[in-house]
Amino acid sequence: MKGEVTSTTVLNKKKKWNEESKAGLLFVLPPIIGFFLFTAIPFVFSIYASFTSWDSMTDLTSLFRMDEIDRQYFYIGLKNYIELFTDVDFWKALFNTFFYMIGIPIGMLWAFALAASFNKTIPGVKAFRVIYYIPVVSSIVAVSLLWKWLYNGDFGLLNQFLKWAFNIKGPNWLENPKTVKPAIMAMTIWRGVGATALLYLGGLQNLPKSYFEAAVLDGASGFRIFRSITWPLMKPISFFIVVTGIINGAQMIVEPQIMAPTGGTDYSAGTIVFYIWQKAFGPADAKGFACAAAWVLAIIIFIVTAVQFKLSSSNDNYLE
């Protein structure tokens, strides 16, 4: 009798487990399918496509029906990579991309100053927090169009202000190779400073007060407290901001696409992702070439991020 009860209990548990496992599988199946369809398979195919002359005229299903001659014509080996590294516009786009990243430390300093101000109990501080965060949640297309109008060489507000205040005729900011990159960089700094300030504000509000109390008792000056306690304890947040800033900056496309649709005069504004987009969906229609450029960008991002992690791990003691 006891054996029958035990076997019945085991069967019930097994049946229940099967029912629960089926229900759980149904829940996790959609994201798994989505991952393979939209991430894993395109990821693997992009590696193969970077060695081919793939364009929009090539039916992907025909790849499996190609004869040997067509396959040899389609598969071109390292030709895309060789052509990429000999393309002047690619190096200009790469330089422009890293030039825009100069705004990362500038934005960090500005954001930290804002966070220090927001951390004080002054009237209206919450309203200022909201005001500075509005550009972050605003449409990047709308913000880019707004700044494009601001930079207009004929009737833009910036040139009108220069004329009114200093009697200076401003340049056409977005068509001048010398001013287009600083102009776009200024817009990206302004747009992202609110989010960075919010991160720093959260860090400042969670700093242990005992460190500061001990420093004051020892007679440390305000600058000494900032240099030896406040800023070092902000290093993990600064590291996160730098890494995400580099990754996001390397993928910047909307700003130059809106403000300098052709990549700027002498390709002085186009980023590497803008370059990839032009090659993949522009007149060139070179999607295989674009895949090669995308993989070069991915390797660059990986190397830069790995260096950042290495530098961070070598200095784990934040306080001096």
Side-chain angles (χ1 to χ4, degrees):
M1 188 71 178
K2 186 177 179 180
E4 293 179 0
V5 173
T6 304
S7 61
T8 304
T9 304
V10 172
L11 290 174
N12 290 335
K13 288 183 177 180
K14 187 175 181 180
K15 182 179 180 182
K16 183 179 179 181
W17 184 87
N18 288 336
E19 292 175 353
E20 290 180 351
S21 63
K22 290 178 181 178
L25 183 61
L26 289 175
F27 278 107
V28 301
L29 199 58
I32 291 176
I33 294 175
F35 169 78
F36 279 100
L37 286 178
F38 302 109
T39 302
I41 295 175
F43 178 85
V44 175
F45 177 76
S46 67
I47 301 175
Y48 171 73
S50 67
F51 298 100
T52 67
S53 59
W54 176 41
D55 56 28
S56 60
M57 300 300 292
T58 304
D59 182 7
L60 295 182
T61 59
S62 67
L63 298 180
F64 305 100
R65 304 191 303 269
M66 284 183 177
D67 55 29
E68 188 63 26
I69 298 177
D70 291 336
R71 195 178 299 277
Q72 289 178 359
Y73 173 78
F74 184 72
Y75 182 79
I76 57 176
L78 295 174
K79 184 178 179 180
N80 283 332
Y81 291 93
I82 296 172
E83 184 179 345
L84 177 68
F85 289 121
T86 56
D87 188 357
V88 176
D89 286 346
F90 167 75
W91 294 107
K92 289 181 179 179
L94 197 61
F95 172 78
N96 296 339
T97 301
F98 282 102
F99 183 92
Y100 292 135
M101 292 183 189
I102 298 174
I104 295 175
I106 298 174
M108 290 173 63
L109 293 175
W110 183 13
F112 188 85
L114 286 175
S117 301
F118 293 159
N119 197 33
K120 301 184 180 298
T121 55
I122 56 177
V125 66
K126 292 183 179 180
F128 279 103
R129 293 177 188 174
V130 174
I131 290 171
Y132 273 95
Y133 199 74
I134 287 177
V136 180
V137 296
S138 300
S139 168
I140 187 172
V141 175
V143 171
S144 299
L145 289 172
L146 178 66
W147 278 75
K148 184 178 181 179
W149 174 72
L150 180 70
Y151 284 135
N152 187 279
D154 297 325
F155 51 83
L157 287 180
L158 180 57
N159 280 356
Q160 289 186 23
F161 172 77
L162 292 175
K163 180 68 176 179
W164 170 75
F166 306 103
N167 197 26
I168 298 175
K169 179 177 174 55
N172 196 336
W173 296 89
L174 299 179
E175 295 185 9
N176 189 329
K178 295 181 180 180
T179 59
V180 62
K181 282 191 289 292
I184 295 178
M185 184 177 66
M187 188 271 285
T188 58
I189 294 173
W190 171 84
R191 185 175 182 272
V193 72
T196 307
L198 188 65
L199 291 172
Y200 275 132
L201 178 61
L204 289 173
Q205 291 180 342
N206 287 280
L207 292 179
K209 295 182 180 179
S210 58
Y211 292 156
F212 299 94
E213 293 172 352
V216 172
L217 290 175
D218 289 341
S221 63
F223 177 76
R224 177 64 177 176
I225 292 174
F226 170 79
R227 189 178 73 85
S228 299
I229 299 177
T230 307
W231 184 249
L233 289 175
M234 291 290 103
K235 283 185 178 179
I237 297 176
S238 298
F239 170 71
F240 173 79
I241 293 171
V242 170
V243 171
T244 56
I246 291 174
I247 294 173
N248 293 332
Q251 300 177 72
M252 186 172 72
I253 180 175
V254 177
E255 294 89 337
Q257 193 176 31
I258 297 295
M259 302 176 75
T262 61
T265 304
D266 197 25
Y267 217 75
S268 55
T271 60
I272 185 66
V273 177
F274 179 81
Y275 173 85
I276 294 171
W277 171 78
Q278 278 190 323
K279 295 298 181 181
F281 302 102
D285 191 19
K287 290 179 172 54
F289 181 86
C291 287
W295 269 102
V296 171
L297 173 62
I299 293 172
I300 292 173
I301 294 176
F302 174 79
I303 293 173
V304 173
T305 305
V307 170
Q308 289 292 326
F309 272 96
K310 182 65 176 178
L311 293 176
S312 176
S313 62
S314 63
N315 188 16
D316 292 334
N317 296 321
Y318 301 125
L319 295 180
E320 298 179 358

